[in-house]
Amino acid sequence: MTFLSNSLDRIKPSPTMAVTAKAAELKAAGKDVIGLGAGEPDFDTPDHIKEAAIKAIWDGQTKYTKVDGTPACKEAVIEKFKRENDLSFDASQISVNSGGKHTIYNAMMATLNPGDEVIIPTPYWVSYPDITLLAGGTPVFVHASIETGFKMTPEMLDAAITPKTKWLIFNSPSNPSGAAYTEAEIKALGEVLKRHENVWIFSDDIYEHVVYEGFTFKTMAQAVPDIAHRVLTMNGVAKAYAMTGWRIGYAGGDAKLIKAMAKVQSQSTSNPCSISQAATVAALTGTQDFLKERATVFQGRRDLVVDMLNTAEGISCPMPEGAFYVYPSIAGCIGKQTPSGKVINTDEDFVTYMLEDYGVAAVHGEAFGLSPHFRVSYATSTEALTEACSRIQDACAKLK
């Protein structure tokens, strides 16, 4: 008799976290490794947010809070949704959680039964299918590709929907591709969703503020108000405010769904960190000026990485509209041999070659459901990115 739960057989550890851990391990051992695996801004949390957290500690805000968020944090989220997304919620429609991943987990655990299907466009963030599986649901993949700009078309969506479909997970701008849907593209998907009232939409907006060249972000409930009652709009402070370690995500949606999510949370983590909630209030209600400044820095890094990777033999790198990732194709490298005689048969072989021979840590495309690709996070310094891309160019040039 095995000691471990059979449910663990349905999932795997996060590949992105595994790559980050491996890079850190090699660095600690004295290896020259450039980590391009982590989806984590290299900026620091702004000072006014840190100060709010320190004040909360000295003010004694160190006790349990309401399971799914303090009144102050919920009010800040309500104000954010109204100000930036033209969405109106009350406190009963807001959930505050220990990170965006926790929000997804709560929603899936609260709603999925065996046989329920969750539509997940590829390439996808690595945790979507595993959380679905852990909750007892069945992932249904819609295979977008480099030819469609890594975006799902209305026809693809319509073909994937069945009577068993419960959720569509919709991420724009996307991790791992950086693809961002225009308002017109979202409205076209909305026309399909209007015809299928059994389908709820999980809108993952975590990269809302990391968009480029005048791109106008719209969230699903905002662009298609007729289905807003079926949309759970999720966001968080991790990416935009450089608060990955603070672990705060939040969502707005149907009050019954929010209550069910709170029930799950009450028996798992209980409340999110009280100090982090106080910091989130400062993040959402304080100055937002730095968001555009940081996006401009990310855009410069994106342009550098795309230009350099497109000069590497066998690599084709599209230009993303948002987030801080590129998702290049390595179709031109498949079947070639490394200087040591190893054949690059898969994108995992490719990133292994990059790490072991050139000290560049990235994540293979299979982890995101679309091969042969790899993901590069450019949320690091220009100097590191320049050196990493030079190494990738050299590595590709030596493939025969």
Side-chain angles (χ1 to χ4, degrees):
M1 180 172 64
T2 181
F3 174 71
L4 300 177
S5 168
N6 291 336
S7 63
L8 289 177
D9 294 336
R10 300 198 295 266
I11 65 172
K12 57 186 179 299
S14 169
T16 54
M17 290 189 170
V19 168
T20 303
K22 180 65 174 177
E25 179 185 320
L26 290 172
K27 284 183 181 180
K31 303 291 185 182
D32 177 19
V33 175
I34 302 173
L36 304 179
E40 181 173 53
D42 60 326
F43 300 115
D44 197 7
T45 304
D47 287 346
H48 72 281
I49 299 174
K50 295 179 184 178
E51 289 164 2
I54 294 167
K55 185 177 186 301
I57 293 171
W58 286 116
D59 288 349
Q61 295 181 37
T62 56
K63 308 297 183 184
Y64 293 129
T65 76
K66 188 174 181 291
V67 165
D68 62 349
T70 63
C73 195
K74 286 195 172 191
E75 185 57 37
V77 171
I78 290 169
E79 290 177 11
K80 175 264 182 277
F81 277 136
K82 184 63 178 176
R83 179 182 73 245
E84 296 183 345
N85 309 114
D86 199 26
L87 298 177
S88 296
F89 297 107
D90 61 38
S92 69
Q93 296 174 290
I94 299 296
S95 177
V96 182
N97 318 111
S98 297
K101 186 181 293 189
H102 190 210
T103 307
I104 302 167
Y105 178 85
N106 285 347
M108 297 302 116
M109 291 297 292
T111 59
L112 292 181
N113 294 307
D116 288 342
E117 295 177 348
V118 178
I119 294 175
I120 302 172
T122 63
Y124 48 71
W125 180 48
V126 295
S127 292
Y128 294 149
D130 287 278
I131 291 174
T132 297
L133 290 164
L134 194 61
T138 302
V140 174
F141 300 113
V142 174
H143 296 287
S145 66
I146 197 169
E147 288 75 23
T148 63
F150 301 119
K151 297 179 187 180
M152 170 182 61
T153 67
E155 294 76 19
M156 292 175 183
L157 174 59
D158 199 35
I161 294 173
T162 75
K164 295 180 180 180
T165 305
K166 182 162 280 187
W167 286 97
L168 160 67
I169 296 182
F170 183 74
N171 178 212
S172 173
S174 162
N175 177 0
S177 71
Y181 289 75
T182 65
E183 182 176 12
E185 289 168 334
I186 295 173
K187 286 180 179 292
L189 296 174
E191 290 302 311
V192 175
L193 294 165
K194 286 179 187 179
R195 301 196 299 269
H196 299 279
E197 295 186 0
N198 59 306
V199 181
W200 284 64
I201 302 91
F202 189 103
S203 185
D204 182 346
D205 299 351
I206 198 73
Y207 297 98
E208 171 184 5
H209 290 295
V210 190
V211 293
Y212 309 122
E213 294 164 336
F215 182 91
T216 300
F217 173 86
K218 295 288 182 179
T219 189
M220 179 69 74
Q222 178 183 21
V224 195
D226 289 349
I227 62 169
H229 60 288
R230 289 190 275 130
V231 179
L232 183 66
T233 304
M234 186 275 280
N235 213 313
V237 295
K239 311 299 184 178
Y241 300 92
M243 295 174 66
T244 51
W246 299 74
R247 307 311 303 138
I248 293 290
Y250 56 82
D254 176 81
K256 290 182 179 178
L257 172 58
I258 296 297
K259 184 177 181 180
M261 290 167 61
K263 186 176 182 180
V264 173
Q265 187 159 310
S266 73
Q267 294 294 357
S268 54
T269 63
S270 191
N271 64 275
C273 172
S274 61
I275 307 306
S276 295
Q277 290 187 73
T280 296
V281 172
L284 297 181
T285 62
T287 179
Q288 309 292 304
D289 293 344
F290 63 91
L291 296 176
K292 287 185 178 179
E293 296 169 3
R294 292 183 174 187
T296 299
V297 174
F298 280 134
Q299 181 173 324
R301 294 173 178 178
R302 175 203 65 172
D303 294 346
L304 168 72
V305 170
V306 170
D307 287 347
M308 291 191 72
L309 291 182
N310 274 325
T311 63
E313 294 181 38
I315 290 181
S316 175
C317 185
M319 182 72 78
E321 297 92 350
F324 35 70
Y325 311 104
V326 292
Y327 198 63
S329 167
I330 58 159
C333 299
I334 297 298
K336 293 185 176 181
Q337 281 190 350
T338 70
S340 64
K342 295 179 182 178
V343 178
I344 304 294
N345 289 314
T346 66
D347 47 35
E348 187 169 11
D349 292 339
F350 180 82
V351 297
T352 299
Y353 168 52
M354 292 295 152
L355 180 59
E356 293 181 350
D357 290 28
Y358 286 87
V360 176
V363 188
H364 59 294
E366 185 186 5
F368 305 99
L370 183 64
S371 294
H373 290 261
F374 71 113
R375 190 192 77 172
V376 167
S377 169
Y378 51 86
T380 190
S381 72
T382 299
E383 293 74 20
L385 291 170
T386 301
E387 175 61 23
C389 289
S390 294
R391 294 182 188 184
I392 293 171
Q393 290 172 340
D394 188 35
C396 290
K398 286 185 168 57
L399 292 175
K400 303 298 180 182

